[in-house]
Amino acid sequence: MSLVIFILILAALILVHELGHFSVAKFFGIKVEEFGIGFPPRLLYIRKGETVYSINLLFFGGFVKIFGEDAAEGKGNPRSFASKSRWIQAAVIVAGICMNILFAWLALSVGYMAGLPTSVDHEGFGTVTNSQVMVTAVLPNSPAQSAGLAPQDVIEKAQTSDASLDVRTLNTNMQAQVVRNFIADHGSQSVILTILRDGEEKTFLAKPVSGLVEGKMAIGVELDDVGVLKLSPPLALAQGAILTYGMTVSTAEGLGTFFWQIIRGAADFGSVAGPIGIASIGSQAVSQGFSDVVVLTALISINLAIINLLPIPGLDGGRLFIILIEGIIRRTINPRITNIITIGGMAALIILMLVVSYHDVLRLIG
């Protein structure tokens, strides 16, 4: 059931993207022939004015059929996409990207209204309450990973053979640092950690090793003091904008690094997730609760926006790049050349998706 819910969320994100194209095309008087929920074959449809609104069998995402995207089709027709200025064409294309960013902002803002897990060190509006020591990351091939610790585990107690640290009794916002110091100070001894996961207490044993953290013994976890940040609607919108900006910048940097590594032939495909990996992560997020769903939904929406902005034929960014070239040379590129480039770009994207999906499967079975 969690997987079904997440697939519906992902479909909604794609639909939001297409709604951006649809709305701006309508605003500039461009004829939109069809706005479809899902992909054909059609199940139901209604015609309102010049546009068909359809519900289709392959209920995943949606599409907008804009008249005159093929320059030859709309030649000479003032209602066609091709007849509009290149500024208007660019606005229609970029609208889908903007809608995904806007959706992420609204999702995070709603999250802050309900209360989102936030580090006590956060810079922005409001005050974080009810902080706990939380595992934020587990290093690969570390004692913590071997023991079974996972992100979002809340540490309640740490023990060694000669000492015990009950984190629940501490009255400081620096609890995570206290736990780090406890582990480092007893580096020669195995550490027994009592954690809270999904409302259930669990116990794990890990022996610190050297080399994970410079100058210290460590078990390979990143810890932070995490509480809940709940804000009024105006402050939630402001804080949502701050987080959206930060997530957009970091996502762009990450994707930029990944594609640069592909060009250099040094890409780590195991570090990214394709459709299978995203579905697995998404279903887990749905089962973990509202806040996880909100953050993951916003992150995927931002990823869709940035990926679509890449100047790759077949994506919105590729179409924008062609519009830019046409603006520079002051004439329309031959539609046959555009179609060939687009098909080539789509083929490259499909190959990339298959490679990433292959690594998704390896992670799931490995």
Side-chain angles (χ1 to χ4, degrees):
M1 188 60 185
S2 295
L3 179 60
V4 173
I5 293 172
F6 178 71
I7 289 174
L8 291 176
I9 291 172
L10 193 59
L13 291 178
I14 299 171
L15 199 59
V16 163
H17 182 92
E18 297 301 331
L19 184 61
H21 297 313
F22 171 83
S23 301
V24 175
K26 284 284 191 178
F27 178 80
F28 285 113
I30 300 172
K31 181 180 178 181
V32 179
E33 297 181 315
E34 184 172 357
F35 181 85
I37 298 175
F39 293 96
R42 284 181 186 170
L43 294 177
L44 300 170
Y45 75 94
I46 182 173
R47 178 179 292 275
K48 187 175 180 182
E50 63 189 10
T51 304
V52 171
Y53 299 87
S54 63
I55 297 177
N56 300 278
L57 180 62
L58 302 179
F59 198 77
F60 184 80
F63 68 94
V64 175
K65 185 178 180 183
I66 298 175
F67 174 66
E69 283 191 276
D70 184 333
E73 176 190 40
K75 189 175 182 180
N77 190 319
R79 298 288 314 286
S80 74
F81 178 85
S83 70
K84 300 298 181 182
S85 71
R86 291 187 175 88
W87 287 110
I88 292 178
Q89 291 179 10
V92 172
I93 298 300
V94 83
I97 296 167
C98 292
M99 281 292 284
N100 277 130
I101 297 294
L102 178 63
F103 187 85
W105 170 48
L106 292 176
L108 291 173
S109 298
V110 170
Y112 279 123
M113 292 177 205
L116 281 184
T118 307
S119 170
V120 296
D121 295 327
H122 106 100
E123 297 180 359
F125 300 99
T127 302
V128 177
T129 60
N130 302 321
S131 67
Q132 299 172 302
V133 179
M134 182 176 290
V135 176
T136 57
V138 177
L139 299 182
N141 304 315
S142 66
Q145 185 186 60
S146 299
L149 288 163
Q152 298 190 349
D153 284 346
V154 174
I155 295 181
E156 295 189 323
K157 193 174 183 179
Q159 294 173 278
T160 62
S161 59
D162 61 359
S164 177
L165 174 66
D166 194 334
V167 183
R168 292 167 294 190
T169 65
L170 297 177
N171 295 310
T172 171
N173 284 337
M174 295 298 292
Q175 293 176 326
Q177 188 59 51
V178 173
V179 176
R180 291 189 203 101
N181 292 340
F182 180 85
I183 295 172
D185 292 343
H186 298 81
S188 61
Q189 304 173 50
S190 295
V191 180
I192 301 171
L193 296 176
T194 302
I195 64 98
L196 188 66
R197 180 186 295 173
D198 298 329
E200 181 182 351
E201 278 195 349
K202 296 178 179 290
T203 302
F204 297 95
L205 176 68
K207 185 175 178 59
V209 295
S210 59
L212 293 175
V213 178
E214 186 176 354
K216 288 185 178 181
M217 301 288 282
I219 62 172
V221 289
E222 293 182 13
L223 305 176
D224 196 6
D225 297 305
V226 177
V228 176
L229 182 60
K230 188 172 183 179
L231 300 170
S232 64
L235 292 182
L237 288 168
Q239 189 63 40
I242 293 171
L243 184 54
T244 301
Y245 173 77
M247 290 173 68
T248 301
V249 171
S250 61
T251 300
E253 291 174 346
L255 286 172
T257 300
F258 176 66
F259 280 99
W260 174 242
Q261 289 173 340
I262 289 178
I263 294 172
R264 292 171 51 213
D268 178 12
F269 290 97
S271 65
V272 296
I276 298 172
I278 291 172
S280 176
I281 295 169
S283 62
Q284 292 175 22
V286 171
S287 64
Q288 288 170 351
F290 174 77
S291 61
D292 289 79
V293 173
V294 166
V295 174
L296 184 62
T297 298
L299 183 60
I300 293 175
S301 192
I302 290 169
N303 271 270
L304 283 173
I306 295 174
I307 289 173
N308 265 289
L309 195 55
L310 294 173
I312 299 174
L315 298 177
D316 290 343
R319 189 71 183 95
L320 284 171
F321 187 63
I322 291 174
I323 291 172
L324 175 62
I325 293 175
E326 290 178 340
I328 294 172
I329 65 178
R330 297 185 178 278
R331 61 184 176 83
T332 301
I333 297 175
N334 189 315
R336 289 182 60 188
I337 296 176
T338 302
N339 290 337
I340 291 172
I341 293 173
T342 299
I343 292 171
M346 291 298 295
L349 288 172
I350 290 171
I351 292 172
L352 176 61
M353 195 65 65
L354 289 173
V355 172
V356 173
S357 296
Y358 169 74
H359 284 84
D360 283 344
V361 173
L362 289 183
R363 273 197 300 271
L364 290 174
I365 66 176

